[in-house]
Every structure is written in structure tokens, then in C-alpha cells.
């Protein structure tokens, strides 16, 4: 009978996860808690704070087991790379509990007591290795219990550590314990044994005893059990339980509804389909493009729905059925769009606004270009128009806010020009003309663009726009490159050229000048590798470089000592060039 059941201990819950008596239904979102949130949960448990009640669904019906996807709990979370729960074939399991409310807390307990957690280190690329995302386990400092705390302070020092970090802190006088070891305790004599083996003092032993009590003795898992075998009724309970407050974001809720309504002829489920696509896109670009399930769902709405807002009513069964029925083409179009961007030299760092790709996907889908827009030379004009639009949209920050309104406007133009075999760049520009957010470039905006530094995320978009006369395809990898080499502007080199530091002209000491767009070019990667730090004039002469092709003024000296005049002349040339390519 449905209702609240006799509470159980955390250790009992862990055993039920291990034995697959607790599983996750496909309507559940992915695990999203940070390491800090897990540490906070364990601190709260140690302090005797209650854990909110859980809700479980007792699955006994064979049809539910056949038609509904269920997953195991994560035990080795790895940010972005391992966030999907393993499948579980529940058809032959007589009965089990599906977690309706409390997945984040249960997974956090499981990872803390049985698993690992890997998150990206600062200033590292998103690469699936131990250098970028080192594996961590949860430890407790038995020697550190703080009193007189502020509201957000920890009383008990739980922290995720790498093996190297743990070995480093063991050199201190504090006694650290791997939290998972507490599961090996069965009674208080085990505490005495551990105390003696690790030479714990009374306070440290008391902390250990508290951890044992919280995990093995206190019945902290209070739960409501739902016995109803009607999927729709349980889905309604799930939505009611998770739609209020922060436990489930609204987009996560819509993802859950999508999963519940998804029906594919090949038997695939939405969670796996979307997760596989996220990883497929990540394999494109260096660094790889990173998209979310939200991006994919928004793309689906733009493709098939007049109302593209994340509202529950927009994810009804018939709409989601369109997503699943057309999934093969949707996936191909999304992949093709990002491959197109990669062929232009974009990557995750230079693609400042992911939502700017959605209109490109829409264009590819409705013109049936998913089988190779990249390989069709006859589509060169279309691709150039799309690239130009993308660069301008990124530079103007078109997708910086009110994304739904922007996408709706652009979709209206794409629909109106659906019969034209050309990306409607000028028509989109006209649709936004005179509005606060538009595609226009005025003098001040251009001046600011030219001050952009080499490592700025929009730098590549500016150069791609300026060098739009060059061929962009997968065979050519363009590099951002200094015309006058950056090394020439080091203090040591400048003193060699000008004699003393006081004699160096001010412009040579300003990165906003020598490291800006004005001293940058877009260069074929193979040519750039041969250029190295060669002085500009020597490089031009040695390789017979066309000044016009590289947007270098013909009437100015490229000798390093003439950099100030070079800077002024090239800046004027680039201003004219930007006006030329953006005038519509």
C-alpha cells in the first residue's frame, strides 16, 4: 500500500543500490551535484541535520519493465565525460524501487561512500585524462571539528582528494580517513580497533564513532513508497514533486517529459540518443565543441514547433513524437553544422554563442543538406553567406539575451525564404534593422573590434570576417598569427633595436596595439609554421607573399622600425575592409 515506510540506514540504502533494488527511471535527469554539494551533504549528516524524505516507486508490473528504461547509479562520476548512468535490464528482476524523488542525494551518498568524482582543474582544456580531470575520493579529517561556525561553514572537514593530494596531507599531524572505509565497520569494536591501529586521540575517535552512527545506526532514509503501476500517474507525481523549487530545473523537467514521451522505431531512448550526440559533437573541433541536451531540445523545438519556449505544453506526446520520428535527420543536421564550423576554423573556444548554430541547423535540415553540405562546391555561395552571418552574429552579441525572441525572428525569415537556394543573410539583417539588437557596424563598434586581443574568444570571428575572400574548407587550417612577431616586442628585443628602454617608442610597449587585430592575420597553418618569428619584411620577400591577400597596405614599410606608421595605415585598411564586408 502506498505511503510512508519504516526508515532505513544509509548503509542499508547503499546495499540496495549495490543489489540493484534501487534503480533510476529514465524520466530522471542526470546527476548534477558538485563535489562541494556532496561534501556539504555529508557535513549536514554528521551534524545531525535531517535529510529530506525520498520517494520510491515499487515496480512489479512486467509491462513497465519491458517498456520503460531503468538505469544503475553512477559510481565514477567524471564531469562531461562520464555523466550517463549505465543501463540496467530490469525485465527479469521480480521487483525493485525506482527513485522518483531524491536521486541527487542518493547518488551523492553512493559516490561519497563507494565511488569517485572527477572535475576539471582550473586553466585546463576539457580532455578526458587524469591531468585535466583527476579522479578524487571523499576523505574526512578526523582531527578537525570546528565550533562557532557561520551559517555556511563546515563543522566536519569532508573533502574530495586525489591520491597525490591525500599522500601530501598525510605528512601533517592530522588524521584523515577514506570515507568509504566506514562501510567495512560492523560494530563499535571496529571503531576501537581502528582507533588503536591509527593512534587516534579521544576527539578523533569520537568523530569516527559519529560517522559510524550516522551511516550504520541512525535511520536517516525516510521514504514514501508509491505502489501505483500506472506510468502516467507516476509521471504526474514526478512532475508535481520536482517542478517546484530548485531540486529540478525547468529544462531538466522538460528533458524528463521528453524521455517519457519519446518513442523510437529502433527502440532507442531519448537520454541515450541525446547523450551520444553530445559526445559525437565533442569529437569535432580542437578543442571539441561542447553542447548540452538543452541545446538539442531547443533545436528540435525550432525545427518543429511555432512556439519555441521551454514550456511543458510544448513537449506534449505529439511534438516529442516528431522529434523521435525525425531523430536520424536531426542528428545528422546537427553534426553537419558543427563539421561545417570546424571546416571554417572554429572550435569550442571561438564559438562564443552556441545558439547561433541553431539557424544554420534549421537551414541544413529544410534544404536537405545533411548528407554533405561540406563536400558540395556548388554550395560555396550559401556557405560563405552562412559563415558571414555567423561571424557578424557572434561579434554583435545577437544571442546575448532573449534568445527565444531572436530565434523566432530568424526562423520567420528562414521560413519566408524557404524556396530560395541561398541563405537569406540580407533578409535577416533587414529584419533586425533599426532595433536595439541589430547587425549594423558603426565607427565606434569597428574601432573597438580592432582593439581585440589575440586570445580573445571573438578574435577568430573578426579575422574570419576580414579574410572572407580566402577559401575556407576542411583541407585548410587557418591560424591566428602576428604580422610583426610577438617576440619582437619583448623588452630585450626592443632594447636591441632602439638602444635603451627610454628610447623605445610608446606604441611598441602597448599590447593593445601590437597584440591586437591590427597586427594579426589569418594564415594557412602550413605557411604559419614556416614563418616562425621571421621579421615581417623578410617573410614577405622570402615567400613572395601577396600583401593584398593578407590585407597589408601596399604603400607602407613593413620594417619593424616603422611599426607606428604600419599600425596606422593597416588600421585604416581594416576599417575600410570591415565596412565593405558588413555593408548590406
Amino acid at each position: 500500500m502506498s505511503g510512508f515506510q519504516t526508515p532505513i540506514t544509509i548503509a542499508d540504502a547503499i546495499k540496495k543500490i549495490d543489489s540493484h533494488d534501487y534503480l533510476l527511471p529514465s524520466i530522471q535527469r542526470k546527476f548534477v551535484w558538485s563535489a562541494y554539494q556532496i561534501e556539504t551533504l555529508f557535513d549536514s549528516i554528521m551534524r545531525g541535520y535531517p535529510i529530506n524524505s525520498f520517494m520510491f516507486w515499487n515496480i512489479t508490473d512486467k509491462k513497465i519493465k519491458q517498456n520503460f528504461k531503468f538505469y544503475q547509479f553512477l559510481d565514477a562520476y567524471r564531469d562531461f565525460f562520464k555523466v550517463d548512468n549505465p543501463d540496467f535490464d530490469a525485465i527479469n528482476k521480480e521487483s525493485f524501487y525506482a527513485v522518483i524523488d531524491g536521486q541527487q542525494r542518493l547518488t551523492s551518498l553512493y559516490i561519497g561512500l563507494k565511488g569517485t568524482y572527477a572535475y576539471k582543474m582550473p586553466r585546463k582544456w576539457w580532455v578526458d585524462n587524469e591531468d585535466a580531470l583527476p579522479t578524487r575520493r571523499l576523505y574526512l579529517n578526523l582531527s578537525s571539528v570546528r565550533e562557532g561556525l557561520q551559517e555556511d561553514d563546515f563543522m566536519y572537514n569532508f573533502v574530495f582528494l586525489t591520491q597525490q593530494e591525500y599522500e601530501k596531507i598525510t605528512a601533517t599531524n592530522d588524521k584523515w580517513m577514506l570515507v568509504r572505509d566506514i562501510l567495512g565497520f560492523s560494530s563499535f569494536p571496529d571503531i576501537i580497533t581502528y582507533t588503536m591501529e591509527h593512534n587516534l586521540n579521544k576527539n578523533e575517535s569520537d568523530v569516527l564513532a559519529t560517522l559510524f552512527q550516522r551511516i550504520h545506526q541512525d535511520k536517516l532514509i525516510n521514504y514514501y513508497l508509491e505502489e501505483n503501476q500506472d506510468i502516467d500517474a507516476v509521471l504526474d507525481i514526478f512532475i508535481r514533486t520536482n517542478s517546484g523549487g530548485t531540486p529540478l530545473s525547468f529544462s531538466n523537467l522538460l528533458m524528463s517529459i521528453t524521455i517519457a514521451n519519446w518513442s523510437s522505431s529502433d527502440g532507442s531512448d531519448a537520454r541515450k540518443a541525446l547523450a551520444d550526440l553530445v559526445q559525437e559533437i565533442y569529437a569535432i573541433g580542437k578543442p571539441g565543441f561542447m553542447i548540452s541536451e538543452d541545446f538539442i531540445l531547443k533545436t528540435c523545438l525550432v525545427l518543429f514547433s511555432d512556439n519555441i519556449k521551454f514550456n511543458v505544453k510544448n513537449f506534449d506526446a505529439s511534438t516529442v513524437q516528431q522529434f523521435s520520428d525525425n531523430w536520424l535527420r536531426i542528428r545528422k543536421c546537427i553534426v553537419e553544422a558543427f563539421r561545417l564550423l570546424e571546416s571554417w576554423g572554429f572550435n569550442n573556444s571561438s564559438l562564443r554563442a552556441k545558439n547561433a548554430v541553431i539557424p544554420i541547423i534549421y537551414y541544413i535540415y529544410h534544404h536537405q543538406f545533411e548528407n554533405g553540405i561540406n563536400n558540395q562546391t556548388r554550395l560555396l555561395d550559401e556557405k560563405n553567406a552562412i559563415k558571414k552571418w555567423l561571424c557578424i552574429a557572434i561579434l554583435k552579441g545577437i544571442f546575448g539575451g532573449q534568445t527565444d525572441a531572436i530565434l523566432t525572428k530568424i526562423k520567420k525569415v528562414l521560413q519566408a525564404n524557404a524556396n530560395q537556394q541561398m541563405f537569406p543573410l540580407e533578409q535577416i539583417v533587414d529584419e533586425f534593422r533599426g532595433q536595439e539588437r541589430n547587425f549594423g557596424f558603426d565607427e565606434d563598434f569597428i574601432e573597438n573590434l580592432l582593439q581585440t586581443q589575440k586570445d580573445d574568444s571573438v578574435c577568430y570571428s573578426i579575422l574570419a570576417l576580414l579574410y572572407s575572400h580566402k577559401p575556407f574548407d576542411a583541407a585548410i587550417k587557418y591560424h591566428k598569427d602576428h604580422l610583426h612577431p610577438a617576440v619582437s616586442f619583448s623588452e630585450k628585443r626592443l632594447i636591441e633595436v632602439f638602444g635603451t628602454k627610454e628610447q623605445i617608442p610608446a606604441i611598441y610597449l602597448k599590447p593593445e596595439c601590437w597584440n591586437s587585430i591590427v597586427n594579426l592575420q589569418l594564415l594557412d597553418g602550413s605557411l604559419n609554421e614556416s614563418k616562425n618569428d621571421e621579421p615581417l619584411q623578410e617573410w614577405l620577400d622570402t615567400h613572395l607573399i601577396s600583401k593584398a591577400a593578407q590585407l597589408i597596405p601596399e604603400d607602407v614599410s613593413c620594417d619593424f622600425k616603422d611599426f607606428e606608421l604600419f599600425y596606422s595605415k593597416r588600421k585604416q585598411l581594416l576599417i575600410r575592409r570591415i565596412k565593405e564586408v558588413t555593408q548590406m
Side-chain angles (χ1 to χ4, degrees):
M1 183 175 180
S2 299
F4 279 99
Q5 309 296 307
T6 302
I8 63 174
T9 67
I10 291 175
D12 289 334
I14 297 299
K15 290 176 184 176
K16 290 183 180 295
I17 293 174
D18 280 337
S19 62
H20 303 127
D21 289 326
Y22 288 173
L23 295 172
L24 298 170
S26 58
I27 56 174
Q28 278 285 11
R29 59 175 171 168
K30 295 181 182 181
F31 179 66
V32 296
W33 273 26
S34 66
Y36 177 79
Q37 285 175 294
I38 300 175
E39 293 159 0
T40 302
L41 174 64
F42 274 84
D43 179 63
S44 298
I45 290 170
M46 286 288 282
R47 293 164 75 167
Y49 295 169
I51 308 176
N52 291 337
S53 296
F54 297 80
M55 179 179 287
F56 301 145
W57 176 21
N58 186 21
I59 307 292
T60 59
D61 187 272
K62 187 175 181 179
K63 288 184 179 179
I64 294 177
K65 297 173 192 175
Q66 288 177 328
N67 300 326
F68 219 63
K69 290 280 186 177
F70 295 93
Y71 302 93
Q72 304 174 50
F73 279 73
L74 275 175
D75 62 356
Y77 179 85
R78 197 167 190 80
D79 202 4
F80 184 75
F81 295 103
K82 190 176 180 183
V83 297
D84 298 308
N85 298 80
D87 289 349
F88 184 80
D89 186 0
I91 188 65
N92 294 319
K93 195 165 178 63
E94 185 175 347
S95 67
F96 55 90
Y97 289 177
V99 180
I100 299 300
D101 185 33
Q103 183 230 160
Q104 300 296 319
R105 285 167 288 151
L106 272 180
T107 302
S108 295
L109 290 172
Y110 194 62
I111 286 175
L113 287 164
K114 296 277 291 200
T116 60
Y117 194 108
Y119 56 82
K120 190 177 77 66
M121 297 293 288
R123 297 178 295 279
K124 294 287 186 179
W125 291 113
W126 282 97
V127 181
D128 189 11
N129 61 32
E130 285 296 310
D131 180 56
L133 288 93
T135 299
R136 301 171 183 271
R137 291 177 173 82
L138 187 63
Y139 289 85
L140 169 62
N141 187 347
L142 299 173
S143 308
S144 174
V145 180
R146 296 191 296 168
E147 304 290 346
L149 304 173
Q150 299 295 320
E151 183 178 350
D152 295 330
D153 288 342
F154 281 9
M155 176 180 287
Y156 295 90
N157 191 6
F158 286 95
V159 60
F160 278 96
L161 299 171
T162 65
Q163 182 63 28
Q164 185 178 12
E165 289 169 338
Y166 171 69
E167 290 171 357
K168 185 176 180 179
I169 62 175
T170 53
T172 67
N173 292 325
D174 287 352
K175 302 293 176 60
W176 288 81
M177 177 187 187
L178 183 60
V179 174
R180 68 193 304 164
D181 288 347
I182 199 68
L183 290 178
F185 289 40
S186 59
S187 61
F188 273 103
D190 291 329
I191 297 173
I192 298 172
T193 301
Y194 189 95
T195 297
M196 294 175 65
E197 289 177 350
H198 294 82
N199 196 25
L200 304 184
N201 62 35
K202 183 180 184 306
N203 289 336
E204 292 164 346
S205 184
D206 287 345
V207 173
L208 178 61
T210 300
L211 179 62
F212 176 83
Q213 181 176 332
R214 296 289 187 261
I215 302 301
H216 286 279
Q217 294 187 320
D218 294 343
K219 296 186 175 183
L220 300 178
I221 307 296
N222 295 281
Y223 64 97
Y224 180 95
L225 187 63
E226 177 58 54
E227 298 279 4
N228 196 329
Q229 300 299 293
D230 184 335
I231 291 179
D232 290 333
V234 174
L235 178 61
D236 182 64
I237 293 171
F238 178 80
I239 293 171
R240 288 173 180 269
T241 303
N242 290 286
S243 60
T246 59
L248 189 68
S249 72
F250 196 69
S251 60
N252 285 139
L253 175 61
L254 295 178
M255 178 63 180
S256 300
I257 296 172
T258 301
I259 290 169
N261 288 328
W262 187 278
S263 175
S264 176
S265 59
D266 64 2
S268 63
D269 66 281
R271 175 181 287 199
K272 187 175 188 307
L274 271 62
D276 288 349
L277 179 55
V278 168
Q279 292 301 321
E280 188 173 1
I281 297 302
Y282 179 72
I284 301 171
K286 293 181 180 179
F289 293 105
M290 298 175 71
I291 62 172
S292 65
E293 283 87 351
D294 282 2
F295 172 88
I296 300 171
L297 291 178
K298 181 63 72 176
T299 299
C300 289
L301 280 176
V302 172
L303 288 174
F304 296 104
S305 178
D306 291 332
N307 188 337
I308 66 170
K309 292 185 180 297
F310 273 168
N311 292 332
V312 173
K313 66 181 181 180
N314 291 335
F315 285 80
D316 58 21
S318 61
T319 302
V320 174
Q321 188 65 49
Q322 282 187 291
F323 300 169
S324 57
D325 287 347
N326 294 281
W327 177 246
L328 181 60
R329 286 199 63 216
I330 295 169
R331 183 188 63 78
K332 282 177 136 184
C333 290
I334 294 175
V335 170
E336 191 70 10
F338 281 97
R339 283 180 178 158
L340 185 62
L341 266 62
E342 182 193 30
S343 75
W344 294 335
F346 284 92
N347 57 33
N348 193 65
S349 299
S350 55
L351 182 61
R352 191 171 184 174
K354 297 290 194 309
N355 285 328
V357 187
I358 295 179
I360 300 174
I361 297 168
Y362 183 96
Y363 184 81
I364 291 173
Y365 185 92
H366 286 284
H367 286 77
Q368 299 182 351
F369 290 154
E370 67 268 23
N371 289 319
I373 188 173
N374 287 292
N375 303 322
Q376 299 188 37
T377 54
R378 66 181 181 84
L379 299 176
L380 184 60
D381 290 340
E382 287 95 321
K383 289 189 284 189
N384 285 339
I386 295 171
K387 176 165 61 67
K388 183 175 180 179
W389 174 82
L390 176 67
C391 291
I392 295 174
I394 290 173
L395 296 179
K396 289 292 292 182
I398 298 296
F399 292 90
Q402 298 180 325
T403 299
D404 287 343
I406 299 298
L407 285 172
T408 299
K409 277 179 173 290
I410 295 174
K411 178 180 177 177
K412 184 178 79 170
V413 176
L414 291 171
Q415 286 177 319
N417 294 272
N419 294 328
Q420 296 186 20
Q421 201 66 30
M422 174 58 72
F423 186 80
L425 170 61
E426 293 187 10
Q427 293 87 334
I428 293 175
V429 171
D430 287 340
E431 180 69 21
F432 287 83
R433 202 180 299 277
Q435 300 183 23
E436 181 178 352
R437 189 159 296 175
N438 59 66
F439 289 83
F441 283 60
D442 59 27
E443 293 280 350
D444 289 341
F445 185 77
I446 295 174
E447 284 277 347
N448 288 330
L449 281 185
L450 295 181
Q451 294 176 26
T452 302
Q453 299 290 286
K454 185 184 180 189
D455 291 331
D456 193 294
S457 62
V458 302
C459 178
Y460 188 84
S461 296
I462 300 170
L463 292 173
L465 193 63
L466 284 167
Y467 286 86
S468 56
H469 57 285
K470 286 182 171 288
F472 284 77
D473 59 54
I476 302 175
K477 300 298 181 185
Y478 287 111
H479 292 181
K480 297 178 294 183
D481 177 65
H482 288 97
L483 287 164
H484 287 286
V487 69
S488 300
F489 295 89
S490 68
E491 185 174 299
K492 180 181 178 182
R493 289 284 188 93
L494 290 172
I495 290 174
E496 290 175 358
V497 173
F498 293 101
T500 66
K501 186 175 180 180
E502 291 69 28
Q503 292 175 300
I504 301 171
I507 193 170
Y508 289 86
L509 300 172
K510 296 179 178 179
E512 60 268 31
C513 295
W514 63 261
N515 194 45
S516 72
I517 295 292
V518 181
N519 190 42
L520 294 175
Q521 64 179 334
L522 211 56
L523 194 61
D524 185 324
S526 59
L527 190 57
N528 183 40
E529 289 168 3
S530 66
K531 180 175 182 287
N532 294 318
D533 296 328
E534 193 174 1
L536 176 58
Q537 187 61 61
E538 291 181 22
W539 176 71
L540 292 171
D541 294 340
T542 302
H543 298 278
L544 303 176
I545 302 297
S546 165
K547 284 187 174 182
Q550 292 308 116
L551 303 179
I552 299 172
E554 297 282 358
D555 61 344
V556 67
S557 167
C558 291
D559 188 274
F560 187 61
K561 281 192 173 183
D562 296 319
F563 177 70
E564 187 164 5
L565 181 59
F566 171 88
Y567 179 87
S568 175
K569 289 275 192 178
R570 190 167 196 255
K571 181 177 180 181
Q572 294 306 311
L573 184 152
L574 296 185
I575 289 173
R576 292 193 300 272
R577 175 63 178 163
I578 290 176
K579 288 180 178 178
E580 173 191 328
V581 298
T582 61
Q583 185 175 13
M584 285 174 281

